[in-house]
Amino acid sequence: MIELEGLTKRYGEKTAVDHLTFTVRPGIVTGFLGPNGAGKSTTMRMILGLDRPTAGDVRIDGRHYDELKDPLTSIGALLEAKGAHPGRSARNHLLCLAQSNGIPDRRVREVLDTVGLTAVARKKAKGFSLGMGQRLGIAAALLGDPRILLFDEPVNGLDPEGILWVRTLMKSLAAEGRTVFVSSHLMSEMALTADHLVVIGQGRLLADTSMADFIARNSRSYVRIRSPQRERLLDVLHQAGITAVESGDGTLEVDGDKAEHIGELAARHQLVLHELSPQQASLEEAFMQLTAESVEYHAHSGTPVSPQQWGDDWKKG
Amino acid sequence: MATVQVVRSEWTKIRSVASTVWTLSLAVVVTIALGMLISALARSEFDRMSTQDRITFDPTFISFAGMSLGQLAMIVFGVLVVSNEYSTGMIRTSLAAVPQRGTFLFAKLAVATVLGLVVSMATSFAAFFLGQAMLGEHRASLGDDGVLRAVIGGGLYMTLIAVFSMGVATMLRSPMLSLGILVPFFFLISSILGYVDATKDVVRFLPDHAGSRIMQVVPPVGDDTPYGPWGGLGIMVLWVLAALVGGYVLLKRRDA
Ligand SMILES: Nc1ncnc2c1ncn2[C@@H]1O[C@H](COP(=O)(O)OP(=O)(O)O)[C@@H](O)[C@H]1O
Ligand SMILES: [Mg+2]
C-alpha cells in the first residue's frame, strides 16, 4: 500500500505536483494517468525518496521510504530514465543491486530468466535495444520479490510483443496480491491493464476511481445517422424533440441510446437511411476532455480523433 | 541497511566497469615509466650539474617525477567512480536501493579508496625501486633516513589525490565539469602560480603542493616551507575532508 497525503513538489516557480492525496491498494493494478508533464514521474521519484517533497507526505506500508530495511524487498521500481551503467553487464548490474539489499545471488538468475535476458546476461547494457533496457529495468524491480511495484511508462519503446508481455506481467503481479502502480500518458493502455485509475493534470488530482466507474461515467453513447434526405430528417427529429448535431463528414449524431426510436421515426416519415448505428465515444476522448484544461501545450491540429480509434480496444480489456 | 552489504555492492560495481581498469593501469604505467625515464636522464646529467644541485640531489624525489602526470589518471579514476552514477542515471537506481545516502557515499568512497590505496602503494614502491635502479651509483636505499617515509608518503599522496577528486565529483556530479575544474587546478593554476612570488605563499597550501612535500627527502637549498612532510600531508588531508564534507552535504540535500 502506498499512501500520498498532500504531496507537493515545486521546482522554483513551477509546481510539478500539487497536493496529491490518494492511496494505491494491493491486489489490483492502479493506473496513473496524465498527459506529458503532468507530474507522474516526479510523484514516483518522491515515493522512492529520490526527490524531496516540498510539502506533504508519502508512506509505503505506513513507513517512509528511507525507514524501509532493504527497500528492494518491499518495493521495486522501473523508472522512466535508464538507470543502468552502459558499460556494466546485465548480470553485474543486478548483482550489485542484490548485494546492497542482502538478496541471494540466485535471484539474479531467476529474474533474468523471468524477463528473458538470460542469453545476454553477460553482455554490456550499452548494446541493449530500448526494449531490452526496459526488461533489465523490470528485472531490477522484481529482484527483491517485493510486495509493491512501481512502473513509470513501462511500455514506452516496446514492440507489440513486449507490450503484451508487460501487460500480462502487471496483471499477474496484481493477481498475486501485490500492489502495482503503473503510469502512462495513454488512456488506451490504462484501459487494458488497470483496475483502478488515478488521473492527474498539471500536478493536480483529476480523478481517483475504479476503471469500471470511469468507463461507465465517461463513455458517451450516441447514434450515428446518414441519410440522403438530411434536411427532412433534421426537421423530423426536431419535431420529435431530438437534438442532432452535424459531425463534419455529413453524418448526424444524436446523444443516447435512441437508435430504435429514430429508426421508427424515419420509417413513419418514409425517409431513406444509409446508416443508423449506435456508437460509444472512446475513453481517449473522455480522458482528453478531463485533462483539456490542464494540458500544458495543445497541439492545435485540425484532425479530429476518430471515435473508433480506441473505442474497440478497451472493451476487450 | 547493513553497511557491509553496501560495501560488497560497491565492490561489484567498481570491478565491473572498464574505466576502473584503464584509469588505474594508466596511473601505474605512467608514474613508473616516466619516473624511470627522468631518473635515467638525471643520472646521465649528474656530472654536468652544479655543486649546489649535487648537494641537494634527491634521488627518492626524482624517482617520483612520474607522479606529476600519473596523478592525472588518479584524478580521472576518482571522478569517474562517482560521476559515472550521475552520467548514466544509475544514481537513481542506487539511491532507491540504498536510501541512506551517507551509507551509500561512505561505502562507495571506502571501496574506491582502499582500491586506490593498494594500487598507489604498489606504484610508489615500484616507482622508487625501478627509479633507483636507473639512477645507478646515485641511488638512495630504502633504509636511508626519511626514504621509507617518502615512499609510503608517495602512495598516500596518490590515494589522496583520488579521494579529493571523488569529493569534488560528488559535489559537481558531472564528469566533464569535475575534470574541467580539477585538471586545470592541478596542472595550470598550481604550477603557474608557484612561480609567481606574490602567490607563492598561497600555492604552498594547495593540496598537491602541500601533499607532495612528504616525497622529498633532501629539501632544496633555502627551503623555507612552513610545514614538514607530515604537516604537508595533513594540509592535504584537510582539503580532502573539506571536499568530502561538501559532497556529503550536497548529496544529502539534493534531489537525486
Ligand atoms: N528536476 C526538475 N527540475 C525542474 N522541473 C522539473 C524537474 N523534473 C520535472 N520538472 C517539471 O515538472 C513537470 C512534471 O514533470 P514529470 O513529473 O516528468 O511529468 P510526467 O512524468 O507526468 O510527464 C514538468 O513540467 C517538468 O518540466
Ligand atoms: Mg514521465
Side-chain angles (χ1 to χ4, degrees):
Chain A
M1 182 137 92
I2 310 171
E3 292 157 290
L4 287 77
E5 221 182 278
L7 199 64
T8 301
K9 179 71 183 181
R10 275 190 285 275
Y11 295 107
E13 290 287 282
K14 164 108 201 148
T15 303
V17 173
D18 198 357
H19 289 94
L20 282 190
T21 302
F22 62 87
T23 300
V24 187
R25 287 187 310 273
I28 52 171
V29 176
T30 301
F32 192 28
L33 183 64
N36 283 323
K40 304 180 294 295
S41 299
T42 305
T43 304
M44 289 198 160
R45 288 199 303 276
M46 285 195 283
I47 293 173
L48 297 171
L50 295 171
D51 282 24
R52 305 243 184 282
T54 310
D57 200 21
V58 52
R59 285 166 186 273
I60 292 110
D61 287 338
R63 289 198 266 176
H64 288 128
Y65 192 87
D66 61 5
E67 293 165 355
L68 300 171
K69 185 185 175 296
D70 298 330
L72 298 187
T73 61
S74 306
I75 174 166
L78 167 78
L79 288 178
E80 192 178 30
K82 261 196 182 166
H85 189 302
R88 192 174 283 131
S89 71
R91 195 182 150 275
N92 280 328
H93 174 68
L94 295 171
L95 183 63
C96 73
L97 293 177
Q99 288 171 334
S100 69
N101 276 246
I103 298 163
D105 293 2
R106 66 172 165 78
R107 279 296 294 163
V108 171
R109 231 177 321 115
E110 288 172 11
V111 293
L112 278 169
D113 209 40
T114 307
V115 303
L117 287 181
T118 307
V120 292
R122 287 172 190 281
K123 292 268 185 338
K124 291 178 178 176
K126 74 175 126 205
F128 285 11
S129 67
L130 204 55
M132 287 160 85
Q134 209 73 326
R135 282 168 189 264
L136 181 59
I138 292 174
L142 297 175
L143 195 60
D145 197 17
R147 299 299 299 163
I148 305 175
L149 287 134
L150 244 60
F151 299 102
D152 196 0
E153 310 257 3
V155 302
N156 266 10
L158 291 186
D159 54 15
E161 188 207 353
I163 293 177
L164 194 64
W165 174 74
V166 169
R167 279 181 200 149
T168 316
L169 176 73
M170 286 188 295
K171 282 186 192 162
S172 66
L173 289 168
E176 290 163 13
R178 299 178 211 256
T179 305
V180 181
F181 190 43
V182 53
S183 81
S184 175
H185 62 278
L186 295 173
M187 179 69 223
S188 54
E189 189 52 45
M190 293 285 85
L192 286 168
T193 41
D195 308 297
H196 193 88
L197 199 58
V198 173
V199 185
I200 64 168
Q202 284 197 340
R204 279 189 293 274
L205 189 69
L206 300 177
D208 178 2
T209 160
S210 75
M211 185 56 84
D213 264 9
F214 186 85
I215 290 171
R217 209 147 4 96
N218 290 292
S219 51
R220 177 177 75 100
S221 52
Y222 63 99
V223 183
R224 188 161 69 187
I225 316 159
R226 276 190 304 129
S227 164
Q229 298 157 289
R230 253 174 89 250
E231 300 310 316
R232 276 200 57 208
L233 179 63
L234 277 169
D235 279 348
V236 167
L237 290 174
H238 186 70
Q239 276 160 22
I242 296 171
T243 321
V245 289
E246 301 190 39
S247 69
D249 51 352
T251 64
L252 299 173
E253 283 181 9
V254 174
D255 267 350
D257 291 326
K258 304 195 186 87
E260 281 111 25
H261 185 44
I262 294 167
E264 283 157 19
L265 271 177
R268 211 175 307 143
H269 291 86
Q270 301 200 315
L271 290 170
V272 177
L273 295 186
H274 287 169
E275 179 180 355
L276 177 68
S277 55
Q279 300 281 335
Q280 292 255 298
S282 75
L283 284 175
E284 203 75 19
E285 276 183 316
F287 167 54
M288 287 195 335
Q289 239 159 35
L290 187 61
T291 57
E293 308 84 60
S294 66
V295 178
E296 277 190 340
Y297 311 103
H298 287 279
H300 288 304
S301 78
T303 11
V305 182
S306 145
Q308 215 71 64
Q309 202 165 343
W310 304 117
D312 291 325
D313 266 357
W314 63 267
K315 285 179 201 152
K316 285 181 239 148
Chain B
M1 178 63 55
T3 309
V4 179
Q5 292 175 9
V6 188
V7 167
R8 272 186 73 201
S9 158
E10 288 298 330
W11 171 242
T12 300
K13 277 188 195 173
I14 205 169
R15 70 175 174 73
S16 61
V17 290
S19 59
T20 306
V21 180
W22 70 255
T23 49
L24 290 178
S25 338
L26 210 60
V28 174
V29 171
V30 168
T31 306
I32 295 174
L34 193 60
M36 287 171 74
L37 181 71
I38 290 177
S39 299
L41 284 175
R43 180 190 186 177
S44 66
E45 291 290 309
F46 192 82
D47 293 335
R48 265 166 282 165
M49 283 181 191
S50 67
T51 323
Q52 202 187 57
D53 281 351
R54 287 189 209 179
I55 292 168
T56 59
F57 187 73
D58 189 344
T60 312
F61 195 61
I62 294 265
S63 62
F64 293 140
M67 271 188 203
S68 58
L69 205 57
Q71 67 180 353
L72 177 60
M74 290 308 280
I75 291 170
V76 179
F77 166 71
V79 164
L80 289 188
V81 159
V82 173
S83 63
N84 265 345
E85 291 267 351
Y86 289 97
S87 58
T88 62
M90 179 72 188
I91 187 71
R92 285 181 176 155
T93 311
S94 295
L95 290 181
V98 186
Q100 292 74 22
R101 297 185 181 189
T103 308
F104 165 74
L105 187 64
F106 169 80
K108 178 173 285 300
L109 297 195
V111 166
T113 303
V114 169
L115 180 62
L117 181 66
V118 169
V119 171
S120 299
M121 273 308 164
T123 305
S124 189
F125 275 90
F128 173 76
F129 286 119
L130 292 168
Q132 300 315 309
M134 293 292 122
L135 281 164
E137 69 273 21
H138 308 297
R139 70 175 168 267
S141 99
L142 206 55
D144 295 350
D145 230 16
V147 170
L148 183 61
R149 179 257 298 155
V151 178
I152 291 174
L156 294 176
Y157 172 85
M158 275 181 96
T159 311
L160 287 171
I161 286 281
V163 183
F164 181 69
S165 307
M166 292 175 212
V168 171
T170 309
M171 288 192 269
L172 299 177
R173 294 185 278 190
S174 146
M176 280 309 138
L177 186 60
S178 306
L179 289 174
I181 286 180
L182 283 168
V183 172
F185 181 72
F186 283 119
F187 287 86
L188 292 174
I189 301 171
S190 181
S191 43
I192 291 171
L193 294 188
Y195 291 112
V196 183
D197 273 340
T199 48
K200 217 170 176 171
D201 288 337
V202 180
V203 168
R204 273 180 176 159
F205 292 97
L206 292 181
D208 53 337
H209 272 247
S212 58
R213 176 75 176 81
I214 201 166
M215 292 181 274
Q216 287 180 4
V217 176
V218 188
V221 175
D223 179 39
D224 58 350
T225 311
Y227 48 75
W230 292 107
L233 200 74
I235 292 169
M236 189 183 192
V237 167
L238 290 180
W239 276 92
V240 171
L241 287 178
L244 292 179
V245 169
Y248 172 75
V249 169
L250 285 176
L251 178 68
K252 272 294 245 199
R253 287 181 166 188
R254 246 174 349 211
D255 290 336

